Amino acid sequence: MQGPVTEPTEGPPPPSALPDIPTEPAVSQVVTGRPLRRMMACAAPAHLSVALVWGAVPSILLALQIQRTVGEGAKVGSLALVTTVGAIVAMVAQPVAGAVSDRTRSRFGRRTPWIVAGALTGGTALIVMGFSRSVPAVLAAWCFVHIGYNFAMGPLSAVMPDRVPSAQRGKYAAVLGLGSMGGSLLGQTLGAVLEDHITLAYVLLASFSITAVSVFVLVNPDRSNRDVPREPFRVAELVRGLLPHPRKHPDFFWVFVGRLCTYQSYFLVLGYKLYILQDYIGLGDEAISRVPALAGAGVAGILPSTLVCGPLSDRLGRRKPFVVASAALVGCAMLVPLAVPTMGGMLTMAFLVGLGFGCFQGVDTALISQVLPSRDSFARDLGVVNIAAALPQALAPAVAAAVVLGPGGYQALFPAAAAFGVLGAVAVLRVRSVR
């Protein structure tokens, strides 16, 4: 079984000499061959189903729901309030979900109970949100959506370091990337198509996510772990671990920063695209009908880069060049609408960002799996690093609102997003233990 690829003659010592960098789980659950292919086939729709929620709701359905509830004058501030509080909830829920699942002992394993319970909770809250008619009610339901789906996705993300061989993680990450990014972009299209049927959209999203996640755990059952010793749950240790330690685990810290900055670059603009199309590009009421075109341009970039880059990083035994280049491309592409403030400029940006983010999604997850601090707490550590993905998605409208309402207006969004992308690339360059 091949471990992570490292420099053969120079640079840092191999991961086997670094006790804080795991290669495979302490208790082996690794699958290969047909079971691994079956797990990949089920993982893609499971991740896609939850990504549909994050693609359709914050930037389209929630934005429209808030706009129709409070009116044009208060839409920006109200959306910022709901997404900011939701982001705080997500930031806490991810690592807590991981820590709890790491310590769970059951006949269904440590991940399955939380994956299923999380999807049921998130889906139910999403349906309740569809029937909410005030900002406080929407806010409360949105918080439970975050709690539920983060409790599902934290343990679901831990399946890769739990059960996928290191040498196959680029391919597996590419499958997850296709599911996640495809779901995000298809969610935008779904949100636009069902703009006049928001409650129906929420019901459909909830039903699909519960179904896809249930299929994954049923077809790929985890083994019982009731005989595995349980580590004590220490709240103080969990609080200290909410953010990666730059000295104890520097590589884990830098991949966290790289993901945080790259996702912030991506969602700062694309998470606010409806209002950008309405007000910056000047499409007004026509903006909602153009969202599917943006999603299509993004898919055209994402598909080839994700399919090629993940497996190619496995073949070459290198992760960093792909992640660095893709983060930089995401950032630089954000400047296109600043120079060309038209629908054509937005479509060009969406395609280039798709190329970059598809590669990033296809390789960064594999890179992260090789720098996790502990073999015994994969889900907790992935929950921590997933904060770097969840937080920008939820906070983007709030950050964008602060920028747009400032003196720079919409024009300031694009250089701000570009700066975050470049910072993400620089952060990944600091990783030492993985090529």
Side-chain angles (χ1 to χ4, degrees):
M1 188 178 299
Q2 182 179 344
V5 180
T6 56
E7 295 283 0
T9 58
E10 59 183 5
S16 59
L18 296 173
D20 61 331
I21 298 178
T23 56
E24 310 292 357
V27 178
S28 180
Q29 308 169 63
V30 171
V31 297
T32 57
R34 182 177 297 176
L36 178 58
R37 291 192 294 272
R38 183 174 62 240
M39 191 164 69
M40 282 194 260
C42 295
H47 282 259
L48 181 145
S49 69
V50 178
L52 279 170
V53 175
W54 305 133
V57 178
S59 61
I60 303 295
L61 296 175
L62 178 58
L64 289 172
Q65 189 175 15
I66 292 292
Q67 182 175 320
R68 293 168 185 174
T69 300
V70 302
E72 288 288 334
K75 69 179 184 181
V76 172
S78 297
L79 182 62
L81 171 66
V82 173
T83 54
T84 299
V85 175
I88 295 171
V89 171
M91 186 176 67
V92 175
Q94 276 271 4
V96 169
V100 169
S101 77
D102 283 333
R103 290 162 176 77
T104 296
R105 302 294 179 262
S106 78
R107 59 175 291 196
F108 304 106
R110 56 182 175 171
R111 312 297 183 201
T112 299
W114 297 106
I115 294 173
V116 174
L120 288 172
T121 301
T124 302
L126 195 59
I127 293 172
V128 171
M129 187 173 159
F131 290 95
S132 300
R133 295 296 179 264
S134 69
V135 172
V138 170
L139 173 59
W142 185 233
C143 288
F144 277 98
V145 170
H146 273 294
I147 291 171
Y149 284 122
N150 279 296
F151 261 82
M153 291 307 295
L156 187 60
S157 298
V159 168
M160 182 169 70
D162 275 350
R163 302 166 72 177
V164 179
S166 295
Q168 297 292 317
R169 289 180 188 172
K171 185 183 298 182
Y172 191 86
V175 170
L176 300 191
L178 280 176
S180 296
M181 290 307 304
S184 178
L185 294 170
L186 289 173
Q188 297 167 26
T189 302
L190 177 66
V193 170
L194 295 177
E195 61 165 315
D196 294 324
H197 307 281
I198 292 177
T199 301
L200 174 61
Y202 287 157
V203 172
L204 292 175
L205 289 168
S207 301
F208 181 48
S209 64
I210 293 171
T211 301
V213 167
S214 298
V215 168
F216 176 86
V217 298
L218 288 172
V219 176
N220 305 278
D222 203 355
R223 66 179 62 178
S224 171
N225 69 337
R226 287 182 293 184
D227 57 342
V228 177
R230 188 198 312 267
E231 290 188 9
F233 185 85
R234 299 183 179 90
V235 176
E237 178 183 338
L238 175 63
V239 172
R240 286 195 299 269
L242 282 176
L243 292 175
H245 198 291
R247 291 186 179 178
K248 290 183 179 179
H249 310 295
D251 285 351
F252 186 56
F253 172 79
W254 287 117
V255 296
F256 177 92
V257 173
R259 173 170 280 207
L260 179 71
C261 291
T262 305
Y263 270 71
Q264 187 62 55
S265 174
Y266 181 86
F267 286 103
L268 189 61
V269 170
L270 292 182
Y272 212 61
K273 62 187 163 296
L274 178 60
Y275 295 169
I276 290 174
L277 291 176
Q278 287 177 339
D279 303 330
Y280 176 68
I281 302 300
L283 296 178
D285 293 338
E286 295 181 21
I288 190 68
S289 65
R290 304 296 183 90
V291 170
L294 278 183
V299 169
I302 283 172
L303 284 176
S305 63
T306 306
L307 290 172
V308 170
C309 294
L312 185 59
S313 75
D314 283 340
R315 183 181 299 273
L316 298 178
R318 301 181 72 89
R319 311 287 193 205
K320 280 173 58 178
F322 292 93
V323 178
V324 170
S326 60
L329 177 57
V330 169
C332 293
M334 294 299 178
L335 296 175
V336 174
L338 185 64
V340 187
T342 64
M343 188 61 194
M346 290 292 290
L347 290 171
T348 302
M349 178 205 69
F351 174 74
L352 293 175
V353 168
L355 281 176
F357 210 74
C359 177
F360 186 87
Q361 282 281 96
V363 183
D364 183 64
T365 304
L367 171 63
I368 287 169
S369 75
Q370 294 180 228
V371 297
L372 297 176
S374 171
R375 292 177 175 85
D376 299 315
S377 59
F378 283 153
R380 183 203 66 186
D381 296 333
L382 280 172
V384 170
V385 82
N386 281 343
I387 292 173
L391 195 59
Q393 294 182 58
L395 273 182
V399 176
V403 175
V404 169
L405 294 175
Y410 283 99
Q411 290 86 346
L413 270 181
F414 304 106
F420 277 114
V422 173
L423 286 174
V426 172
V428 176
L429 284 172
R430 302 296 301 273
V431 174
R432 297 291 306 280
S433 63
V434 181
R435 292 197 298 167

